[in-house]
């Protein structure tokens, strides 16, 4: 049993390394900072869940300081990837909306990965894919818990039994909001 666990751990580590290499290649190809790509990905996840991020939620999602978030949003705005819109009911509240350019960048960013991984997943029966989805949910939660542990926090910010604050990707919102709505 330990031998299988050791092999799985090594494979997960290699997956993380290859994922990092992929992000670096995309970052270099599209001349976008890694943080810019993370912000676009967070906004895509929020949009898929029917939500629009504010700068405060983006700051929390990416674990950035307020000045770093302002610089990030300014950069994305200048590059044509995000529009800022003010709330109709509270003019102090700003929403970040993806532009068509951001959607095209996101499509170009994720299409090769989705295509290649999708081909692999299509080779497995539905019940295996369901089991794999559960496995990945658990791995993400465990990784989030480890992150909190390393950061010196052992908490469940959302009170949902998930220490990392990630919502169930299959059940709606997939962005980490850590219980903050700004």
């Amino acid at each position: 049993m330990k031998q299988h666990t050791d092999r799985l751990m090594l494979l997960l580590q290699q997956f993380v390394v290859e994922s990092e290499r992929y992000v670096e290649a995309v970052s270099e190809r599209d001349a976008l900072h890694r943080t810019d790509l993370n912000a676009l990905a967070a906004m895509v996840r929020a949009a898929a869940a029917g939500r629009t991020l504010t700068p405060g939620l983006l700051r929390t999602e990416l674990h950035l300081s307020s000045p770093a978030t302002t610089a990030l949003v300014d950069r994305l705005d200048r590059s044509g990837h995000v529009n800022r819109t003010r709330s109709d009911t509270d003019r102090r509240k700003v929403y970040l909306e993806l532009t068509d350019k951001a959607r095209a960048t996101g499509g170009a960013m994720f299409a090769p990965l989705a295509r290649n991984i999708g081909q692999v997943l299509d080779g497995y029966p539905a019940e295996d894919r369901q089991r794999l989805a559960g496995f990945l949910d658990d791995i993400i939660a465990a990784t989030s818990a480890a992150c909190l542990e390393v950061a010196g926090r052992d908490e469940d910010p959302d009170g949902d039994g998930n220490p990392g604050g990630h919502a169930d990707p299959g059940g709606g919102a997939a962005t980490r909001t850590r219980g903050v709505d700004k």
Side-chain angles (χ1 to χ4, degrees):
M1 178 84 165
K2 173 127 173 65
Q3 192 175 37
H4 293 296
T5 301
D6 289 346
R7 183 166 188 272
L8 281 174
M9 289 300 292
L10 288 172
L11 289 170
L12 285 169
Q13 289 171 353
Q14 187 60 37
F15 174 74
V16 169
V17 168
E18 292 302 324
S19 295
E20 293 291 323
R21 286 181 182 155
Y22 182 82
V23 170
E24 290 300 322
V26 168
S27 178
E28 191 173 309
R29 180 194 70 191
D30 294 339
L32 288 169
H33 294 269
R34 178 183 199 88
T35 306
D36 298 355
L37 295 175
N38 290 338
L40 292 175
M43 292 176 68
V44 166
R45 285 192 307 271
R51 297 185 19 214
T52 303
L53 290 182
T54 63
L57 288 172
L58 185 62
R59 176 182 54 79
T60 301
E61 168 76 16
L62 300 179
H63 303 282
L64 297 174
S65 67
S66 290
T69 303
T70 299
L72 167 66
V73 173
D74 287 346
R75 210 169 39 244
L76 290 172
D77 187 21
R78 278 192 310 274
S79 68
H81 286 96
V82 69
N83 287 324
R84 294 174 170 121
T85 59
R86 295 211 177 269
S87 167
D88 292 335
T89 58
D90 181 353
R91 301 296 294 163
R92 295 171 298 174
K93 193 166 203 162
V94 174
Y95 294 104
L96 304 175
E97 296 180 352
L98 292 170
T99 63
D100 289 339
K101 181 178 182 179
R103 288 186 220 324
T105 299
M109 180 170 62
F110 291 114
L113 196 57
R115 183 180 57 255
N116 283 279
I117 291 176
Q119 289 172 348
V120 171
L121 293 174
D122 287 344
Y124 288 88
E127 63 271 4
D128 286 352
R129 289 193 306 268
Q130 184 66 29
R131 203 171 302 121
L132 182 57
F135 168 77
L136 289 173
D137 282 341
D138 292 345
I139 292 297
I140 291 167
T143 303
S144 294
C147 184
L148 289 172
E149 185 178 318
V150 168
R153 297 185 316 252
D154 188 22
E155 58 198 43
D156 180 3
D158 297 332
D160 62 359
N162 184 349
H166 285 283
D168 175 9
T175 58
R176 182 175 12 179
T177 60
R178 301 179 91 67
V180 177
D181 185 20
K182 296 192 178 191

